[in-house]
Every structure is written in structure tokens, then in C-alpha cells.
Amino acid sequence: MKNQKGFSLIELLIVVVIIGIIAAIAIPNLLAARRSANEGSASSALRTIHGANATYQATTGNGDFATNLGALGTVNLIDQVLAGGEKSGYNFAGGPGSYVQQARVVGAAGNPGTFACVAKPITNSGITATGTRNFGIATDGIVGVEPLGTAGGAGTMAAAVGSGTVPSSYGSGGNIATLGQ
């Protein structure tokens, strides 16, 4: 009889099954960590947009906020990726209700300029979801958050331009809460 060396088919199959079990446990945790990192990046980007808008208003804007994210990128107050409207799985400028600016009204009945910006996940459901919450920020600098639930969906948060004495906002409702300052 020959002296055979190596692994039997059963031993190889056991190793493959063990690797499959480890992957089944690890992959969902890695995807959840990615979604969490995307959400943290979206919140941070909104704070960056707020600070950049305050600088823009005091300098280039002469009292008005930027009309869009591209204007903030043009004067190098935010990076070109964020100025493009998408960053870390979130959309900041796509579609209506993502970024609005209300110009100041000069005069006795005038109001100061305001702005609001909403960040929505590019994919908000399924295994490839880039986020499960919408985020918004307005002139006051408070970040709002709206959970989308397990089914996903667009949510109700949208940037709304102000009028008269009502400032621009990212909306209100039962699901929208403040993230903190």
C-alpha cells in the first residue's frame, strides 16, 4: 500500500463549512459598521456645510448664504466631493428638498438670510443600504435626524425654503428629532 499524504475530501469540506459559518457571522456586522460610518460622515458633513455657510455669509455672500453646495466649493470652503452633492453613501444636493437658500430681505420688514440642507442615503433599504437615517441642518446649526425604519423609504424630511419671517428648515414631524449640538 502506498503512503498517501494530504487531506481527505471530508476534511476539506469541513474547513469550507467552517469558513462559510464565520463569513455568515462577520459580513452583516461589517455592513452595519459601514452604514454607521456613512451616517457619522453625513452628520459631520452637514456640520461642515453649516460652518462653511457661516463663513460664506460673512465674506463672499455679503449677508446671504450660498445658493448651492457648488458655490461653497467654488470658494474652497468645502471639498469638491461634498460640493458635488454626494459623499460617503449620502446625497446632499440631489433632487428637490436637499439644499435651499432664502436670500435676506432688506428693509424694515426684512428678514435675515437662511438655509437648510438635508442628507439622504443613496440606498436606504436592503443589504446594500448606505444608511438608515436622514439628516438635516438649518441656519440654527442643530442637526436633525429621521429614522427610516427597517423597510427603508424616502422619509418626510426635506429642506424647505423660508418666507417672510419663517426661516428655512429641514421639516418637522413625529419622526424627526435633534441629534445634538
Side-chain angles (χ1 to χ4, degrees), residues 112-155:
T114 59
F115 80 96
C117 185
V118 171
K120 295 187 176 191
I122 294 171
T123 307
N124 59 20
S125 63
I127 195 164
T128 61
T130 57
T132 57
R133 300 185 294 175
N134 290 336
F135 295 94
I137 197 165
T139 311
D140 59 10
I142 298 174
V143 176
V145 61
E146 175 188 33
L148 299 176
T150 56

Side-chain angles (χ1 to χ4, degrees), residues 10-99:
I10 297 297
E11 291 170 329
L12 290 175
L13 287 175
I14 290 172
V15 169
V16 168
V17 168
I18 291 171
I19 291 172
I21 291 170
I22 292 171
I25 293 170
I27 289 175
N29 292 334
L30 291 173
L31 293 174
R34 186 188 73 175
R35 279 191 301 273
S36 178
N38 287 346
E39 290 177 355
S41 176
S43 175
S44 177
L46 284 174
R47 287 189 170 106
T48 299
I49 290 169
H50 180 265
N53 249 324
T55 303
Y56 185 93
Q57 181 193 32
T59 57
T60 307
N62 295 321
D64 286 328
F65 291 105
T67 55
N68 55 46
L69 295 178
L72 294 173
T74 300
V75 293
N76 295 321
L77 293 174
I78 60 174
D79 64 68
Q80 293 305 311
V81 174
L82 185 54
E86 286 186 8
K87 187 170 186 176
S88 299
Y90 269 78
N91 192 334
F92 294 85
S98 292
Y99 182 91

Side-chain angles (χ1 to χ4, degrees), residues 91-115:
N91 192 334
F92 294 85
S98 292
Y99 182 91
V100 296
Q101 175 262 2
Q102 174 190 4
R104 63 190 164 92
V105 177
V106 181
N111 62 310
T114 59
F115 80 96

Side-chain angles (χ1 to χ4, degrees), residues 102 111-112 114 160-169:
Q102 174 190 4
N111 62 310
T114 59
V161 68
S163 61
T165 58
V166 178
S168 301
S169 72

Side-chain angles (χ1 to χ4, degrees), residues 5 75 90 177 179 181:
K5 295 182 180 180
V75 293
Y90 269 78
L179 189 62
Q181 296 185 39

